[in-house]
């Protein structure tokens, strides 16, 4: 993981990586999403309601799944190229190109917002959560998956299964980083912001979003391919949160 100070336009960075991400996300079995992550996330999701917003939908893989499960979904992403790919893969519903902190949706129109692996990839976390609260109905739900703050704060010493895990620098405070990965002939650079857990919960608290579920899913045995994967059975890769907008808040 390389820290990249002085650059704050994550929307542009992800648009530049769009073609690589589409190839990465759509190769069967290549990514954690298909191998185990989506299925670990689904238990915190409520069932279909009147409208679900897929915030940071990327090339649309979760949007497509949610539609197949009966949700009426609007996808939103900051990358024009990813929005085009999502719409091309499934033109049955709207996919909007927009900043997460300026959603082109009315007040109180959704009963569910899903932000799967996206809130750590937006330039303005507080603004994005403000907008989530605005578009949710009172009692509506936000379900989030992010890179676990412990993951983005540290690193393993080696690829051995029992390798020591070390937090380098400061856990507290946000910072931009880039994680470049080569796997099975595909390369991808993930551009993100490290946030301590309190950055998320403070944004929720300010908007009356009450956390009612928190999960740190372990990589299941069936998804482990080598010792490098097995390390992540001791330290969480991802963090899952479900928060509900308080009645009378909107």
């Amino acid at each position: 993981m390389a820290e990249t100070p002085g650059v704050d336009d994550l929307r542009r960075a992800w648009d530049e990586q769009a073609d690589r991400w589409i190839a990465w996300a759509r190769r069967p079995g290549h990514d954690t999403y298909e191998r185990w992550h989506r299925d670990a996330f689904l238990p915190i999701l409520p069932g279909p309601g009147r409208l679900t917003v897929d915030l940071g939908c990327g090339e649309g893989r979760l949007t497509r799944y949610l539609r197949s499960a009966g949700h009426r979904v609007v996808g939103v992403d900051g990358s024009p190229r990813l929005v085009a790919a999502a719409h091309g893969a499934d033109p049955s519903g709207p996919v909007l190109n927009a900043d997460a902190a300026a959603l082109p949706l009315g007040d109180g129109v959704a009963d569910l917002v899903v932000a799967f692996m996206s809130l750590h990839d937006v330039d303005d976390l507080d603004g994005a959560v403000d907008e989530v609260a605005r578009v949710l109905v009172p009692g509506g739900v936000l379900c989030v998956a992010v890179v676990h703050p412990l993951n983005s704060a540290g690193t393993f010493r080696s690829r051995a299964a029992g390798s020591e895990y070390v937090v380098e620098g400061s856990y507290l405070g946000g910072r931009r980083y880039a994680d470049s990965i080569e796997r099975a002939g595909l390369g991808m650079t993930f551009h993100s912001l490290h946030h301590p857990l309190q950055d998320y919960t403070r944004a929720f608290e300010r908007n009356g979003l009450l956390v009612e579920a928190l999960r740190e899913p372990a990589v299941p045995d069936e998804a482990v391919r080598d010792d490098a994967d097995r390390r992540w059975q001791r330290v969480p890769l991802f963090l899952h949160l479900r928060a509900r907008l308080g009645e009378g808040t909107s």
Side-chain angles (χ1 to χ4, degrees):
M1 241 179 246
E3 190 167 340
T4 55
V7 181
D8 61 3
D9 188 356
L10 287 168
R11 289 180 66 187
R12 177 176 53 80
W14 272 91
D15 197 52
E16 290 172 353
Q17 289 287 313
D19 291 342
R20 290 179 173 227
W21 174 243
I22 293 163
W24 184 282
R26 292 183 179 178
R27 178 177 288 187
H30 187 72
D31 189 55
T32 56
Y33 170 85
E34 185 177 23
R35 290 193 290 121
W36 69 276
H37 190 196
R38 184 198 67 190
D39 290 346
F41 180 67
L42 292 178
I44 73 168
L45 291 185
R50 73 182 193 184
L51 182 66
T52 297
V53 178
D54 185 5
L55 183 64
C57 66
E59 58 74 52
R61 58 187 179 178
L62 185 61
T63 310
R64 295 189 292 275
Y65 175 83
L66 292 170
R67 285 185 183 137
S68 74
H71 290 257
R72 177 174 170 252
V73 188
V74 173
V76 181
D77 200 90
S79 162
R81 295 161 73 188
L82 290 176
V83 166
H87 183 71
D90 180 9
S92 65
V95 186
L96 308 177
N97 178 217
D99 190 324
L103 296 177
L105 299 168
D107 297 352
V109 296
D111 45 22
L112 174 61
V113 175
V114 178
F116 183 84
M117 300 304 289
S118 60
L119 282 186
H120 54 282
D121 293 338
V122 301
D123 293 300
D124 183 0
L125 171 64
D126 288 339
V129 176
D130 292 349
E131 282 291 86
V132 167
R134 181 183 65 78
V135 303
L136 280 174
V137 298
V141 171
L142 167 65
C143 291
V144 172
V146 292
V147 169
H148 197 290
L150 188 60
N151 175 351
S152 55
T155 187
F156 288 103
R157 291 294 195 195
S158 76
R159 293 178 63 83
S163 173
E164 180 184 13
Y165 190 83
V166 179
V167 173
E168 298 180 331
S170 175
Y171 168 85
L172 297 174
R175 68 179 184 279
R176 170 82 180 270
Y177 67 91
D179 196 6
S180 295
I181 300 175
E182 296 282 338
R183 182 189 300 156
L186 294 179
M188 175 69 199
T189 298
F190 296 85
H191 293 273
S192 302
L193 279 167
H194 165 75
H195 292 283
L197 179 57
Q198 67 181 356
D199 283 3
Y200 297 105
T201 58
R202 281 176 171 168
F204 293 178
E205 178 184 349
R206 191 182 66 252
N207 283 285
L209 286 157
L210 309 177
V211 175
E212 58 183 26
L214 185 154
R215 303 287 185 269
E216 299 169 296
V219 177
D221 286 337
E222 60 271 20
V224 172
R225 299 176 297 191
D226 54 26
D227 281 353
D229 282 352
R230 196 166 298 283
R231 298 172 305 175
W232 294 107
Q233 294 188 309
R234 298 186 292 110
V235 178
L237 266 170
F238 305 120
L239 174 68
H240 297 169
L241 298 165
R242 183 177 69 235
R244 190 176 299 272
L245 188 65
E247 299 288 342
T249 306
S250 188

